[in-house]
Amino acid sequence: MTRSRRASLGRALSRAAAVLALVAGLGAVHLGTPPSALAHDGLVGTSPAAGSTVPEGPATVELDFTAEPLPIGTLVAVTGPDGAPVSAGDAEIRGTTVVQPLDRTLSAGTYRVEWRSSSSDGHALSGTFDFAVTTGSAPSGTPSPAASSGPDTTAAEDGVAAVWPAVGGVVLVGLGVVLVSRLRRRG
């Protein structure tokens, strides 16, 4: 093998090694990232808590998210034991919390909260939960729906998208190995 051919092969192998190191580093960054950082925003809590019983009707229902939601598409509908709406006005975004004012005259019974919001990355989120109020007169003739055990939240995507950066890193490392292998065979 000639001296210039060896030098050319050496440069090509050096470049391939640099590319592999870069790809491996990026892959390690993605693989080392906690799944929550790769996932989309989500609901982390409510007030009143989903499935809870409170002694008095709250003035607001609050939904706490992992990041500030977008105002587009944000809606919170609260209905009483008789199915009538008890929301008062529009929901307001305060940082990472969506606040929905309620009528001040909540009677005893179970209340249903149906909500939807757009996460900070534009994905639609929605869910429902119930809470109960013990003080006040129970409405007659209307059975209360059972309280849920926790918030029912649904992201409008399947969560699989969080693994794509790791898959891409693995594919790039594989391509780098094939490239180095072919370069060695030529020399």
Side-chain angles (χ1 to χ4, degrees):
M1 179 183 291
T2 67
R3 184 177 217 160
S4 66
R5 180 109 168 115
R6 269 192 302 223
S8 178
L9 180 59
R11 283 191 300 271
L13 287 174
S14 294
R15 286 184 194 132
V19 168
L20 280 175
L22 177 64
V23 169
L26 291 174
V29 167
H30 283 297
L31 292 174
T33 304
S36 61
L38 295 173
H40 297 289
D41 301 340
L43 182 69
V44 293
T46 65
S47 178
S52 69
T53 300
V54 295
E56 296 178 352
T60 62
V61 167
E62 298 182 11
L63 309 170
D64 296 316
F65 294 90
T66 55
E68 185 172 345
L70 299 174
I72 299 169
T74 297
L75 175 69
V76 180
V78 183
T79 53
D82 60 355
V86 296
S87 304
D90 294 332
E92 179 183 332
I93 296 173
R94 298 179 190 163
T96 60
T97 303
V98 174
V99 179
Q100 175 61 58
L102 303 177
D103 289 336
R104 296 297 271 166
T105 56
L106 298 184
S107 59
T110 302
Y111 291 80
R112 163 81 28 138
V113 179
E114 296 182 39
W115 62 270
R116 74 171 184 245
S117 185
S118 296
S119 68
S120 63
D121 61 2
H123 286 83
L125 304 170
S126 64
T128 61
F129 68 93
D130 296 338
F131 69 91
V133 175
T134 58
T135 303
S137 59
S140 60
T142 306
S144 298
S148 67
S149 61
D152 172 22
T153 61
T154 308
E157 81 291 326
D158 58 18
V160 175
V163 297
W164 285 116
V167 170
V170 169
V171 168
L172 288 175
V173 168
L175 289 173
V177 169
V178 169
L179 175 66
V180 168
S181 166
R182 286 191 175 192
L183 286 172
R184 283 188 177 167
R185 274 190 245 155
R186 282 187 179 175

Short mmCIF file of all heavy atoms in Angstrom, two decimals, residues 3 8 12 43 48 60 64 88 109 112 129 137 141 144 148:
data_model
loop_
_atom_site.label_atom_id
_atom_site.label_comp_id
_atom_site.label_asym_id
_atom_site.label_seq_id
_atom_site.Cartn_x
_atom_site.Cartn_y
_atom_site.Cartn_z
N ARG A 3 2.14 5.14 0.46
CA ARG A 3 2.13 6.06 1.59
C ARG A 3 0.91 6.99 1.54
O ARG A 3 0.25 7.22 2.56
CB ARG A 3 3.41 6.87 1.58
CG ARG A 3 3.54 7.76 2.74
CD ARG A 3 4.87 8.47 2.70
NE ARG A 3 5.34 8.57 4.05
CZ ARG A 3 6.56 8.77 4.40
NH1 ARG A 3 7.48 8.87 3.50
NH2 ARG A 3 6.88 8.89 5.65
N SER A 8 -4.51 8.57 3.43
CA SER A 8 -5.92 8.80 3.11
C SER A 8 -6.82 7.89 3.96
O SER A 8 -7.84 8.32 4.48
CB SER A 8 -6.15 8.54 1.62
OG SER A 8 -7.51 8.70 1.31
N ALA A 12 -9.59 8.96 6.84
CA ALA A 12 -10.97 8.47 6.77
C ALA A 12 -11.35 7.75 8.06
O ALA A 12 -12.45 7.94 8.60
CB ALA A 12 -11.15 7.53 5.58
N LEU A 43 -50.77 16.30 33.44
CA LEU A 43 -51.43 16.72 34.68
C LEU A 43 -50.74 16.04 35.85
O LEU A 43 -50.53 14.83 35.83
CB LEU A 43 -52.91 16.32 34.63
CG LEU A 43 -53.77 16.73 35.82
CD1 LEU A 43 -53.97 18.24 35.85
CD2 LEU A 43 -55.13 16.03 35.73
N PRO A 48 -59.94 20.54 44.14
CA PRO A 48 -59.83 19.41 45.04
C PRO A 48 -59.22 18.20 44.35
O PRO A 48 -59.29 18.06 43.13
CB PRO A 48 -61.27 19.12 45.46
CG PRO A 48 -62.12 20.20 44.90
CD PRO A 48 -61.32 20.94 43.89
N THR A 60 -62.90 27.41 43.49
CA THR A 60 -62.28 27.12 42.20
C THR A 60 -61.91 25.64 42.12
O THR A 60 -61.79 24.96 43.14
CB THR A 60 -60.97 27.93 41.99
OG1 THR A 60 -60.03 27.56 42.99
CG2 THR A 60 -61.23 29.42 42.01
N ASP A 64 -53.04 21.26 37.99
CA ASP A 64 -51.61 21.55 37.97
C ASP A 64 -50.92 20.67 36.93
O ASP A 64 -51.08 19.45 36.95
CB ASP A 64 -50.99 21.30 39.34
CG ASP A 64 -51.54 22.24 40.40
OD1 ASP A 64 -51.67 23.44 40.11
OD2 ASP A 64 -51.84 21.76 41.51
N ALA A 88 -68.10 29.05 36.56
CA ALA A 88 -68.45 30.47 36.48
C ALA A 88 -67.39 31.19 35.65
O ALA A 88 -66.32 31.50 36.15
CB ALA A 88 -68.54 31.08 37.88
N GLY A 109 -73.02 16.74 47.29
CA GLY A 109 -73.13 15.80 46.19
C GLY A 109 -71.80 15.65 45.47
O GLY A 109 -70.77 16.17 45.88
N ARG A 112 -68.53 16.52 38.72
CA ARG A 112 -67.69 15.97 37.65
C ARG A 112 -66.93 17.12 37.00
O ARG A 112 -67.51 18.16 36.66
CB ARG A 112 -68.58 15.28 36.62
CG ARG A 112 -68.01 14.99 35.28
CD ARG A 112 -67.14 13.80 35.05
NE ARG A 112 -67.29 12.63 35.86
CZ ARG A 112 -67.27 11.41 35.41
NH1 ARG A 112 -67.18 11.21 34.11
NH2 ARG A 112 -67.32 10.39 36.22
N PHE A 129 -62.43 13.87 36.17
CA PHE A 129 -62.35 13.35 37.54
C PHE A 129 -63.55 13.88 38.32
O PHE A 129 -64.23 14.80 37.89
CB PHE A 129 -61.02 13.71 38.22
CG PHE A 129 -60.82 15.18 38.50
CD1 PHE A 129 -61.19 15.73 39.74
CD2 PHE A 129 -60.25 16.01 37.56
CE1 PHE A 129 -60.98 17.07 40.01
CE2 PHE A 129 -60.03 17.36 37.82
CZ PHE A 129 -60.41 17.89 39.05
N SER A 137 -77.39 21.02 51.05
CA SER A 137 -78.50 20.09 50.90
C SER A 137 -78.30 19.28 49.63
O SER A 137 -77.97 19.82 48.59
CB SER A 137 -79.82 20.87 50.85
OG SER A 137 -79.78 21.76 49.76
N GLY A 141 -83.79 13.42 43.93
CA GLY A 141 -84.15 12.71 42.71
C GLY A 141 -83.02 12.44 41.73
O GLY A 141 -83.24 11.83 40.71
N SER A 144 -75.93 10.51 42.52
CA SER A 144 -74.61 11.05 42.26
C SER A 144 -73.76 10.00 41.57
O SER A 144 -73.80 8.83 41.94
CB SER A 144 -73.91 11.43 43.58
OG SER A 144 -74.65 12.43 44.23
N SER A 148 -64.25 8.99 41.08
CA SER A 148 -63.16 8.22 40.50
C SER A 148 -62.02 8.11 41.49
O SER A 148 -61.91 8.90 42.41
CB SER A 148 -62.69 8.87 39.20
OG SER A 148 -62.10 10.11 39.48
#
